[in-house]
Amino acid sequence: PGRRLLQRQRRLGEGQLMSHRHGTRGFTLIEILLAIVILVIVATTFARFAGSFSKSMGDASLRTIATGVATGRLELVRADPRYTSLVSLYGSGAGADTTGFPSYPRMRRRTTVVRDQSGGRDRTTITVRVTDPALRDTVSVTALVASP
């Protein structure tokens, strides 16, 4: 009997009573909790990345649309053969400042046309700026057109 008690105390001291028994399967509670914590960290990181990526793609798309609006307007002004009338036709009035485009009601396009006849030269600077509350900064395109 004394020997048995000593063997049992040794097994308790070595943690053998708390260890897995032969033939049992499964995970301990600590292993499951650790797996859940790791899974939550990975899922949270992925969600942040996906949100950031989605916002960046939306910003890039809006910027592309704004660039197209500005470039289209600039090309329209440049293609007009009435060089001496560019300032009055495109630099003022309703056409110079337009708000609202299909699918982009808050987008605003402003056209500035400045003719410079100083120094014996005759040139016109055309600048088109497009803004939208969702854009961080203004999209701006400029062209210099010389007298024909």
Side-chain angles (χ1 to χ4, degrees):
R3 230 173 152 187
R4 253 182 149 174
L5 184 62
L6 185 59
Q7 284 179 341
R8 187 164 188 205
Q9 285 176 344
R10 277 190 198 153
R11 276 190 243 147
L12 277 173
E14 295 171 359
Q16 287 182 358
L17 292 179
M18 297 298 286
S19 67
H20 294 287
R21 294 184 195 150
H22 294 291
T24 61
R25 293 184 178 164
F27 297 101
T28 65
L29 182 60
I30 297 295
E31 290 170 330
I32 291 172
L33 289 175
L34 185 60
I36 289 172
V37 167
I38 291 171
L39 185 61
V40 165
I41 290 171
V42 169
T44 303
T45 302
F46 180 74
R48 280 190 204 158
F49 171 75
S52 175
F53 180 76
S54 176
K55 180 168 176 15
S56 295
M57 289 303 292
D59 289 350
S61 176
L62 185 59
R63 189 171 216 25
T64 300
I65 296 295
T67 301
V69 166
T71 303
R73 176 66 169 190
L74 181 70
E75 293 304 319
L76 176 73
V77 176
R78 286 182 65 194
D80 195 320
R82 300 169 289 181
Y83 177 79
T84 57
S85 303
L86 292 180
V87 174
S88 61
L89 291 170
Y90 300 101
S92 61
D97 192 355
T98 306
T99 302
F101 295 91
S103 300
Y104 301 95
R106 300 184 309 166
M107 189 174 282
R108 181 177 180 194
R109 179 189 66 206
R110 287 171 297 184
T111 306
T112 307
V113 182
V114 178
R115 188 171 178 190
D116 179 13
Q117 295 176 303
S118 65
R121 295 187 214 166
D122 187 2
R123 58 183 175 242
T124 301
T125 304
I126 307 159
T127 302
V128 182
R129 291 182 179 87
V130 178
T131 58
D132 190 282
L135 281 173
R136 286 186 222 152
D137 50 355
T138 301
V139 172
S140 181
V141 292
T142 301
L144 187 65
V145 180
S147 171

